[in-house]
Amino acid sequence: MEPKPVTGRLVRFSVRMKRRTQRIRRPPHDRYLYLLILPGLLYFLLYKYLPMLGLVMSFQDYSPFLGFWDSPWVGWKHFRTMFAEPEALRVILNTLEISFLQILFAFPLPIILAIMINEVRLTLYKRLIQSLVYLPHFLSWVVVVGIFVVFLKSDGIVNNLLKMASIQPIPFLTSPEWFKPLIVFQVIWKESGWGTILILAALAGVNPQLYEAAVMDGANRWQQIWHITLPAIRSTIVILLILRLGSVMDTGFEQIFLMLNPFTMEVGNVLDTYVYFKGIQQGDISFATAVGMFKGVVGLILVVIANRLARKYGEGGIY
């Protein structure tokens, strides 16, 4: 018996491809629009998809002298090693803890900040606030960490103020207990202002007549925010959360690497820095590739699960 469902899918696929080809062959202006997409497609092809061929190293004991074809295959050896080593498990837990702390504290703040900015009625004052909160985003992590070091080192400004208040100085930079709060606070200070851009754009699309009707019904500002503003930007918040979950295993190499020291290595070593130490410093390229592949797979699974949950509860999702 012929597999009719498969045949039907092939026919539908061929029809869709034929229609797309016909659209590309339409009058010249349509072809020019497709040409505008070409640079972006080439970028993703060259810098995102072709490098994925290197993932084959995670299943080999890769040697640069032997290359991809002659390096011995070891199957799942590096993945088993990753889950068997106590150090690797500790690094995974550190990564998850820092990432979820950022989601818990740093993710909601741009939303709150955008709503507060949107409530400002004086345009000049609103633009001034926007400019001030955007500025830290344009500083590199080297500059940001340098500022925090100047303020928080043992003879820095904060500890000198504590001494003047007869309070014992606090070893902020060498204390394991302070490492993760400092990381989260740095992310909040640097990125919260920049994160308000999409939220403010979503708020600009809210129909003003909804607020006028709410005022006529006697709603105060808090009730308007709760019943109009937040529901209006809910889909944008859901999409941003789904995208953020996709990078849950990525805490940022530069910031963590610059903040690490021998005293905080146990609580601060994450997958990004672990890959650097293993792959670059120790030359274990295959193991580092396996760790990187693990990060990508976890991110993909979280995005798919979050997207399905969003669609199940009535949101659009990202696909």
Side-chain angles (χ1 to χ4, degrees), residues 39 48 88 95 110 119 129 140 147 168 174 241 253-254 285 304:
K48 300 296 182 180
T95 304
E119 292 297 313
I129 294 174
S140 70
I147 293 173
Q168 191 71 19
T174 57
L241 180 59
F253 170 77
E254 296 174 355
I285 300 175
V304 171

Side-chain angles (χ1 to χ4, degrees), residues 49-269:
Y49 289 99
L50 284 180
M52 290 176 66
L53 297 174
L55 292 175
V56 71
M57 290 188 294
S58 60
F59 302 100
Q60 297 175 321
D61 274 334
Y62 176 76
S63 170
F65 304 102
L66 297 176
F68 289 116
W69 306 114
D70 296 325
S71 295
W73 291 85
V74 295
W76 299 95
K77 170 188 171 183
H78 300 297
F79 294 94
R80 289 194 295 267
T81 302
M82 179 173 60
F83 290 106
E85 284 191 358
E87 182 184 6
L89 294 176
R90 186 178 70 247
V91 166
I92 293 173
L93 291 176
N94 288 340
T95 304
L96 291 173
E97 185 176 352
I98 291 176
S99 187
F100 282 114
L101 283 173
Q102 290 180 4
I103 292 175
L104 181 62
F105 294 104
F107 181 79
L109 279 181
I111 302 169
I112 298 171
L113 185 59
I115 293 174
M116 293 172 64
I117 293 174
N118 189 62
E119 292 297 313
V120 176
R121 292 292 172 255
L122 188 60
T123 304
L124 180 62
Y125 186 50
K126 179 188 292 188
R127 291 178 179 175
L128 177 62
I129 294 174
Q130 285 179 295
S131 300
L132 290 175
V133 297
Y134 288 169
L135 284 178
H137 171 79
F138 298 99
L139 300 177
S140 70
W141 278 115
V142 176
V143 175
V144 173
V145 173
I147 293 173
F148 274 76
V149 169
V150 170
F151 274 83
L152 301 177
K153 61 183 180 179
S154 58
D155 57 346
I157 297 173
V158 174
N159 276 320
N160 284 334
L161 291 175
L162 292 177
K163 289 178 184 178
M164 292 172 61
S166 301
I167 300 175
Q168 191 71 19
I170 301 173
F172 292 103
L173 300 177
T174 57
S175 175
E177 293 79 12
W178 280 97
F179 182 84
K180 291 171 183 175
L182 285 177
I183 293 295
V184 175
F185 183 75
Q186 288 173 359
V187 172
I188 290 173
W189 182 76
K190 186 176 186 295
E191 301 296 346
S192 289
W194 186 255
T196 61
I197 292 178
L198 291 177
I199 305 298
L200 286 171
L203 289 172
V206 181
N207 190 348
Q209 293 181 354
L210 296 174
Y211 293 105
E212 295 173 2
V215 171
M216 294 292 292
D217 291 337
N220 57 33
R221 296 305 302 176
W222 289 108
Q223 291 171 331
Q224 293 175 39
I225 291 172
W226 184 258
H227 294 288
I228 299 176
T229 304
L230 288 176
I233 63 175
R234 183 175 58 190
S235 59
T236 303
I237 295 172
V238 170
I239 291 174
L240 291 176
L241 180 59
I242 292 172
L243 295 175
R244 179 62 184 86
L245 288 174
S247 58
V248 74
M249 304 299 287
D250 184 6
T251 54
F253 170 77
E254 296 174 355
Q255 179 195 14
I256 303 292
F257 182 75
L258 292 168
M259 288 292 292
L260 276 179
N261 57 62
F263 300 98
T264 59
M265 184 65 70
E266 185 173 351
V267 297
N269 193 16

Side-chain angles (χ1 to χ4, degrees), residues 38-53:
L38 188 59
L41 292 177
L42 289 176
Y43 167 79
F44 280 98
L45 179 65
L46 293 176
Y47 296 103
K48 300 296 182 180
Y49 289 99
L50 284 180
M52 290 176 66
L53 297 174

